[in-house]
């Protein structure tokens, strides 16, 4: 029989090495979130489509994975429906559930549903997979993890300052050099007001968002195509390309916005955050970047983005403040701010820079070679004692050829191999080999535990 | 607007307290699996339906959640197909993927797909959710976690002995008293041969499996209904109710099976496992139970089951040896043995017996009360220093009323509250209150870190 096995396009298996590396990233993220007082929640993989539809735009609705109803999924589909081939309508009749597309909408649903049990401000983190029926390509998957943290029910800019510290701490701990950028949607609104083009806010935000990719001339062309005049563009161009340190930028912008209160408010917020961070020792660059726009429409205040310095890749983290996340579920007036780390991109950066600690993928410390039934039974008892000391150890299950047992140890990168033959058994001795140095010594059992504990 | 939020039937949200408790269980399971040399893998949530269909029986196929194809999902469905309402056929035309129903079939698929990269014996664990369109009821969910470990590519009974130790270690660590039962499918085959009813193996196994629920008379009625004679039942009844210690049972069965080689082989295997475990100090009961049957058809050798002693609930763990798990994907001759812990039932038992450690749900050690902007900025710097010592701490983000801030600390079960008012700031002092004892003291910063580290 031909061996035909496959998994759906855009999905992945993870082997033990990859799992060790992925868990390393997730654990580091959890550790930092917890240090700052965030607590975990989880929501179901499937949500009602009534919760998901209309939250991600028309394009997003198309990218939802829908789950066929159980039982007679055709019972509400008429012959006429079928003939009309209205896919949206028919899928609505056949599917009432879909896979979660992000963690933000389920979180908003969670907050509204559990509003009477939650004590606000609610600081939660959530690390779970999401699913999108996107065209798969390098670095883009149909199933991938998001690692979100949000504070909901607090307007305080202390939250923003702490998120900046969280980003700085995580990338510091991982050893990735990054540029942490901050801006404020109110400043973008102010720029738009400056040229009296309030109605173009979305186009201008979207255009600016591409500055990194298409350069300032590209942005100019796009905005002019969308109806901006050359004169108007010349007025905002110097702001988008403003250089200097963060305090300088604040001064220039404050002058620029002297009659635009929304813009002033944005500048005030940035300044408060900078002040809160003034005693903080950054491990990464931290930059007030007037050209940072972030695509998502629901942001209303601070916005964040983190880029790797040494690898050319999309942002490793993004986020911002939103004034009305739960409004769509009928609960108004709940402000929040949150960030999301991109675990897959962080993985790629750590791999590209060779920054994964060797230890993260290999948990087995030693293996007993199997010389036969008697020896194996003896080793099993000794292995139990080693495990009781919290050390991971294996007994090779078969009395196989030495070469096979050693290549097994090698493939699992097990650092120590322990040999107990007839002689050793008789004398209560153990021969232990350090696989990286090749050193071999014959010692008693207490020494074995000591050696394994030390390494 | 009415606040209407809901999640699909049979699914759950988990709040921070529940998450802490669930993660405690998962972490304990991972710790024990790792101690024994198992390494993690993960497979995608969705598999091709061609991988899943036909593996769980007709009933299982109906319980699969199917995912509607993206794009024009009707393109292969003809008017005639629709008119014929052949649901299986139509769902096959509209859906090529389904959600994973268990971890065993995806693991078999993984082994076959990656057979050239895997070094055997392959010891993997896998802790992931699975989905079943079952009717939801108390303790039965449509999305739940399985926690599997398997060794594949080794016939050695050392694997069985180690799995028994793993079960004993986990429940010992969790503080749950259990009865770990072992039997062997070959012994069940032997019993069937004893009454010359080889063709009834499945019915007899299924009948015996219900002994716990319906008692020996219930089993008798069911088997007689299925065609067994009273005389035949009388011959196996004493075996099903055999008491005494494990060695006694072996002796009795060896005599009973004196001319039945399959049965002898089963007894031999049990004896080897008992011998391998003879030097092991059990924390739980360990019983060779001739009435243990396990429903799943693919087991061919040892079978395991763990029951709680102090709580009436289904089994907390089950497993066994299978000779040909990957055969269905065309790779023959790969023997394996594995177990699966039921995290939801373990949760219920820990809760019923009040065995969850208090600490598992609460990670925040201290919170700074917010007296105003100046104080908060100062506290933020001190919080950073505390976090650098690895201690989780919060700064309340708003200068809210004291009562509100204290009730927040209380709701998150934060054990220490730190007050820094104008006076404390001036004198570089910190007032810290132990929330459980009510004790309050004013100390310098080094003391704060010491107090938090000690507790």
């Amino acid at each position: 029989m031909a061996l035909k096995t496959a998994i759906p396009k855009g999905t992945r298996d993870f082997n033990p090495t990859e799992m060790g590396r992925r868990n390393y990233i997730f654990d580091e993220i959890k550790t930092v979130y917890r240090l700052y007082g965030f607590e975990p929640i989880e929501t179901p993989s499937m949500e009602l489509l009534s919760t998901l539809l209309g939250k991600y735009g028309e394009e997003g609705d198309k990218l939802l994975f829908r789950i066929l109803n159980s039982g007679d999924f055709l019972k509400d589909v008429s012959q006429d429906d079928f003939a009309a081939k209205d896919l949206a309508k028919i899928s609505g009749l056949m599917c009432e559930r879909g896979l979660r597309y992000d963690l933000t909408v389920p979180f908003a649903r969670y907050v509204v549903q559990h509003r009477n049990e939650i004590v606000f401000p609610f600081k939660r983190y959530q690390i779970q997979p999401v699913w999108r029926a996107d065209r798969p390509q390098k670095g883009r998957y149909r199933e991938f993890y998001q690692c979100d943290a949000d504070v909901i029910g607090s307007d305080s800019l202390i939250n923003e300052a702490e998120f900046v510290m969280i980003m700085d701490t995580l990338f510091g701990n991982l050893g990735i050099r990054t540029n942490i950028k901050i801006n404020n949607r109110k400043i973008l609104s102010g720029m738009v007001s400056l040229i009296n083009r309030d109605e173009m806010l979305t186009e201008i935000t979207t255009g600016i968002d591409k500055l990194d990719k298409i350069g300032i001339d590209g942005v100019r062309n796009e905005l002019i195509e969308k109806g901006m005049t050359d004169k108007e563009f010349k007025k905002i161009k110097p702001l988008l390309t403003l250089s200097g340190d963060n305090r300088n930028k604040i001064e220039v912008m404050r002058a620029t916005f002297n009659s635009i209160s929304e813009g002033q408010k944005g500048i005030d917020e940035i300044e408060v955050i900078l002040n809160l961070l003034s005693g903080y020792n950054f491990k990464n660059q931290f930059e007030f970047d007037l050209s940072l726009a972030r695509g998502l429409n629901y942001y209303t205040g601070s916005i964040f983005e983190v880029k790797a310095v040494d690898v050319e890749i999309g942002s490793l983290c993004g986020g911002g403040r939103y004034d009305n996340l739960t409004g769509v579920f009928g609960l108004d007036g709940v402000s929040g701010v949150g960030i999301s780390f991109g675990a897959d991109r962080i993985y790629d950066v750590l791999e590209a820079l060779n920054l994964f600690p060797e230890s993260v993928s290999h948990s087995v410390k030693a293996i007993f070679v199997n010389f036969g039934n008697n020896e194996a039974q003896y080793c099993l008892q000794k292995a139990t004692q080693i495990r009781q000391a919290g050390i991971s150890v294996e007994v090779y299950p078969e009395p196989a050829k030495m070469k096979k047992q050693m290549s097994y140890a090698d493939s699992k990168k097990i650092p120590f191999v322990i040999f107990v033959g007839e002689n050793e058994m008789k004398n209560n001795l153990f021969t232990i080999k350090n696989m990286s140095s090749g050193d071999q010594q014959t010692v008693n059992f207490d020494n074995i535990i000591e050696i394994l504990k030390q390494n």
Side-chain angles (χ1 to χ4, degrees), chain A residues 81-150:
Chain A
D81 289 329
F82 182 79
K85 303 267 180 213
D86 180 342
L87 295 175
K89 182 179 180 196
I90 295 175
S91 72
L93 296 171
M94 295 195 304
C95 305
E96 61 179 24
R97 289 159 300 206
L99 293 178
R100 150 181 84 215
Y101 178 91
D102 72 359
L103 302 178
T104 307
V105 168
F107 176 53
R109 193 266 311 145
Y110 179 99
V111 168
V112 175
Q113 192 168 330
H114 301 279
R115 64 194 176 280
N116 296 325
E117 308 139 39
I118 294 172
V119 175
F120 294 94
F122 183 43
K123 298 171 78 169
R124 85 85 173 81
Y125 73 84
Q126 189 170 355
I127 298 180
Q128 290 193 277
V130 302
W131 295 268
R132 297 182 185 179
D134 246 325
R135 188 184 303 276
Q137 51 178 260
K138 193 183 166 341
R140 192 202 283 165
Y141 305 101
R142 289 184 159 175
E143 173 178 48
F144 60 97
Y145 271 73
Q146 290 192 332
C147 310
D148 285 22
D150 291 81

Side-chain angles (χ1 to χ4, degrees), chain A residues 88-282:
Chain A
K89 182 179 180 196
I90 295 175
S91 72
L93 296 171
M94 295 195 304
C95 305
E96 61 179 24
R97 289 159 300 206
L99 293 178
R100 150 181 84 215
Y101 178 91
D102 72 359
L103 302 178
T104 307
V105 168
F107 176 53
R109 193 266 311 145
Y110 179 99
V111 168
V112 175
Q113 192 168 330
H114 301 279
R115 64 194 176 280
N116 296 325
E117 308 139 39
I118 294 172
V119 175
F120 294 94
F122 183 43
K123 298 171 78 169
R124 85 85 173 81
Y125 73 84
Q126 189 170 355
I127 298 180
Q128 290 193 277
V130 302
W131 295 268
R132 297 182 185 179
D134 246 325
R135 188 184 303 276
Q137 51 178 260
K138 193 183 166 341
R140 192 202 283 165
Y141 305 101
R142 289 184 159 175
E143 173 178 48
F144 60 97
Y145 271 73
Q146 290 192 332
C147 310
D148 285 22
D150 291 81
V151 183
I152 195 156
S154 165
D155 290 331
S156 164
L157 295 165
I158 288 179
N159 301 305
E160 269 89 338
E162 291 200 326
F163 275 122
V164 171
M165 292 178 184
I166 285 174
M167 296 184 256
D168 185 64
T169 305
L170 178 74
F171 292 110
N173 289 352
L174 292 174
I176 300 175
R177 298 199 304 162
T178 68
N179 190 357
I180 301 168
K181 295 175 174 194
I182 187 169
N183 196 9
N184 195 300
R185 272 288 163 87
K186 296 180 180 113
I187 294 175
L188 292 170
S189 298
M191 282 194 207
V192 173
S193 298
L194 203 64
I195 55 172
N196 285 310
R197 283 293 210 161
D198 290 11
E199 79 287 359
M200 274 189 79
L201 179 60
T202 303
E203 287 85 352
I204 292 175
T205 307
T206 314
I208 293 174
D209 203 29
K210 297 183 189 154
L211 183 61
D212 255 16
K213 281 185 204 138
I214 61 178
I216 190 74
D217 291 337
V219 173
R220 179 187 170 281
N221 293 341
E222 180 161 330
L223 292 179
I224 288 198
E225 204 172 287
K226 293 250 166 77
M228 191 181 276
T229 66
D230 191 54
K231 198 175 154 199
E232 286 164 353
F233 183 75
K234 284 212 173 105
K235 208 160 171 189
I236 63 166
K237 183 183 168 185
L239 307 181
L240 297 180
T241 54
L242 195 61
S243 61
D245 74 15
N246 296 336
R247 297 282 171 185
N248 278 342
K249 287 179 187 168
I250 286 179
E251 260 175 61
V252 173
M253 291 310 293
R254 203 178 280 294
T256 310
F257 286 153
N258 63 354
S259 63
I260 297 167
S261 70
E262 181 80 350
Q264 287 288 359
K265 217 171 151 204
I267 293 294
D268 287 346
E269 291 183 9
I270 291 281
E271 192 164 29
V272 169
I273 296 167
L274 287 185
N275 287 342
L276 286 169
L277 291 165
S278 60
Y280 180 78
N281 277 320
F282 276 95

Side-chain angles (χ1 to χ4, degrees), chain A residues 29 38 65 73 80 83 86 156 171 223 250 294 301 332-333 351 412 423-424 426 434 442 453:
Chain A
I29 293 172
F38 290 81
F65 280 110
F73 51 84
D80 287 351
D86 180 342
S156 164
F171 292 110
L223 292 179
I250 286 179
R294 302 286 303 159
D332 282 319
E351 190 160 58
K412 282 181 96 168
N423 257 332
E424 276 99 347
K426 214 166 31 193
N434 180 323
T442 299
K453 268 197 173 157

